[in-house]
Amino acid sequence: MEVVIRGVRNVFRNATRSLAVVLILTVVICFSLVMLISLRAVNNKVDSVQSSIGTTITISPAGSRGTEGGGEPITTDDIAKIKATPHVSSVITSLADRAVTGTDTNLVSAIDPGTLGQRFNRNRSGSTNSNAPAAPPATLKLPITVTGTSDPSNIQVQGISTVTLTSGKWFDGASSANDAVIGTTLATKNTLVVGSTFTLHDATFTVVGIEDAGNQFANNGVIIPITTLQNITTQAGQVTSVYAVADNLSNLSDVQTALTSSLGTKVDITSQIDQANQALQPLQNIQSISLYSLIGALVAGTVIILLTMVMIVRERRKEVGVLKAIGASNFLISTQFMVESFTMSIIGAVAGTIAGVFLSTPVLNALLNNASASTASTAAGPGGFGGAARGFASRFGGQAASAFNIKSIQANVGWNILGYGLLIALAIALIGTLFPTLLITRVRPADVIRGE
Amino acid sequence: MLTVSNITKEFPSGDGIVKAVSNLSFKVENGTFAAIVGKSGSGKSTVLNMLGTLDAPTSGEIKVDDQVINKLSGSKLTKYRRQKIGFIFQNYQLIPNLTAIENVMLPMEFNGLPKKQRLERATELLLMVGLTEEKHRRRPTRLSGGEQQRVAIARALTNHPRLILADEPTGNLDSKTGKVIIDLLRDLARSQDVTVIAVTHDTAIAKLADVQFTLKDGELEK
């Protein structure tokens, strides 16, 4: 116990030097903690964003979107290539079609065309004036969306992935039966319940279930097995959307690259990985800054303690010699110097932890703002054509960042931070005192006393 | 009894070897105050370091009460030094941030003595060497040279050593104080039945010792 008390008292033998060392350690430990807190907060956010983007890649004919646009359907060969791509765990195929009331089906759309419907359908009604609303035909009815799918449990209707079955059951996606699940508004409009029948492309379908996709447009549709839709529309083997699921989030980017390479430009391949990567870039910059700063601060702290303790041991070399001469062991003397080093480090740890707790949030915010601004300015680039293009990219990046809300990062400061502060201090003190301890063991009392 | 038999100490120096002590032999009885005198470079401090196990002779043997001490090493050596030898240095070598009594208590702490006993023994020793109680809590910088040397003597006595080694114990003291310290060492040798070996270049001080050895070029002068 006395050796501990002596070690603590030795801190105050040269108060000015000890104060300077403690102040430096306070800054080092504060800086280390702030960087550690930032690193953890950013890591958590990166994990959260990456886990939220899912592992699904959407492949659709270039130039088409659902039942809009043009392009060529995806073929059986393309689907085989997709299935053969490494790390693709499953493939869901989908075919989109539109059924016109009276011509293709006896169902009546539940959506009133209204002004927007009239305008969107003006070209179909033969208007040549693109500015003036065309006069709607008296019998204009919006077409009904028909979706054929190989996996109704993972169905996406108009981009909505959460489709809930409100009554009945899903059909078997691999079958070619004339079973259908219809949207709630369409069912209400046509007074259909589970077990009712309707006609589509001259075939009679039985309603096996009723679904709710969350909005009126999506609920104005019919979902049937893809093979059935291919058969009744004479599009055997053709699909308009393929959803390839990667086996792991970390393989998502590789799968997307492989699909782009094998399918070429005739398809559009999209996932949230690009958007997520763009949004995460500022965070990844902060991760690097935090990590290197943390390592730098720890090394600096260790070197400071090391040099200070070497200086102290050299200064007290004669005292070490005398202590050995009067019977102190190397262990006892080293312990005394270690206690001195630990005391300075712990005082620095307490002050540094308090400062770190208060500074972590402002520093993290500053890092976020700085990293975001730096990314935006790099993306904006010069003016002219390039500038315009990059400006668009930058806006798109901004959208990506805001979509994942990357600036909403909390610097969580818990009791464990106190533990980390103490651990950092102890590690610095321990490593920084190892070499000086070696110097102590090498002091020979006879040399020191003879050197008087 | 201290028995020194044919000890030689050699140091490497450049390409050659310097013999600091050559075939030295002598005996000192318990309770004797002996002085080793000689000019600077005569090898007297080297002899003292070897007697105190701070240095080992190149050859020869040193025995204290039939125990060969120059063959000890490691923790045994540290323990022997702590329990059997007391050192007194020319510059007192007290720990500056400890009080007089704390300095005296230090070797007893290394020896594992409980605090209460340490305190009692240190007080007793400081009073014995003539340091008044009011000065026991003073730091070395607030004590005179003679008082600091008294504290150093008390520190050397703490663990009941068989051998007290003093290197120029009066070197930094005026002649009057120096004589007082030598008288104290001589009295201690008798009262505590301990062998005291003091190294000095001052022949007047050496004459006060019970036995005197003169060294010249590392050899004993008859």
Side-chain angles (χ1 to χ4, degrees), chain A residues 241-259:
Chain A
S241 290
V242 178
Y243 303 102
V245 182
D247 57 2
N248 194 300
L249 186 63
S250 58
N251 293 326
L252 188 59
S253 187
D254 290 344
V255 171
Q256 187 167 350
T257 307
L259 289 174

Side-chain angles (χ1 to χ4, degrees), chain B residues 46-180:
Chain B
T46 306
V47 171
L48 199 75
N49 286 337
M50 289 191 287
L51 297 180
T53 68
L54 300 181
D55 222 342
T58 311
S59 62
E61 190 177 82
I62 302 169
K63 282 166 80 174
V64 177
D65 296 338
D66 296 330
Q67 182 177 12
V68 180
I69 61 171
N70 57 303
K71 301 290 181 194
L72 297 171
S73 62
S75 60
K76 281 184 180 172
L77 179 65
T78 304
K79 189 178 174 186
Y80 181 84
R81 204 183 283 155
R82 185 194 305 148
Q83 294 181 339
K84 302 289 182 188
I85 298 174
F87 281 99
I88 300 165
F89 304 101
Q90 182 178 352
N91 290 329
Y92 330 125
Q93 301 293 2
L94 301 176
I95 309 299
N97 68 325
L98 299 182
T99 63
I101 200 160
E102 286 170 339
N103 266 288
V104 178
M105 287 164 72
L106 211 51
M108 290 185 275
E109 179 200 317
F110 299 154
N111 211 22
L113 216 64
K115 191 174 181 180
K116 194 183 169 197
Q117 288 180 41
R118 293 204 303 260
L119 198 63
E120 284 172 4
R121 170 99 175 130
T123 307
E124 178 194 330
L125 285 170
L126 283 173
L127 290 172
M128 190 179 83
V129 297
L131 196 75
T132 54
E133 203 155 0
E134 67 189 41
K135 293 177 180 174
H136 290 190
R137 302 283 171 185
R138 287 188 188 175
R139 288 190 179 180
T141 47
R142 292 185 58 217
L143 297 171
S144 68
E147 288 168 337
Q148 286 187 57
Q149 197 59 298
R150 285 170 197 271
V151 176
I153 291 168
R155 182 177 68 182
L157 288 167
T158 50
N159 289 331
H160 306 283
R162 301 302 304 136
L163 192 61
I164 289 181
L165 302 169
D167 191 1
E168 301 282 5
T170 60
N172 281 2
L173 302 173
D174 59 76
S175 57
K176 190 181 169 188
T177 314
K179 187 175 179 309
V180 171

Side-chain angles (χ1 to χ4, degrees), chain A residues 90-111:
Chain A
S90 66
V91 171
I92 302 164
T93 52
S94 174
L95 178 63
D97 190 43
R98 304 171 88 175
V100 178
T101 304
T103 309
D104 304 321
T105 180
N106 65 344
L107 294 174
V108 177
S109 172
I111 299 172

Side-chain angles (χ1 to χ4, degrees), chain A residues 80-168:
Chain A
K81 284 179 188 173
I82 295 167
K83 285 180 176 172
T85 304
H87 301 296
V88 170
S89 61
S90 66
V91 171
I92 302 164
T93 52
S94 174
L95 178 63
D97 190 43
R98 304 171 88 175
V100 178
T101 304
T103 309
D104 304 321
T105 180
N106 65 344
L107 294 174
V108 177
S109 172
I111 299 172
D112 185 74
T115 309
L116 291 173
Q118 305 284 1
R119 187 174 182 85
F120 294 156
N121 287 278
R122 65 180 178 270
N123 288 336
R124 288 193 180 108
S125 64
S127 170
T128 53
N129 184 346
S130 61
N131 292 322
T139 56
L140 175 63
K141 289 283 181 188
L142 291 180
I144 295 160
T145 304
V146 181
T147 305
T149 180
S150 63
D151 185 0
S153 60
N154 284 307
I155 185 75
Q156 287 199 12
V157 179
Q158 298 300 322
I160 298 167
S161 56
T162 310
V163 179
T164 311
L165 203 62
T166 58
S167 64

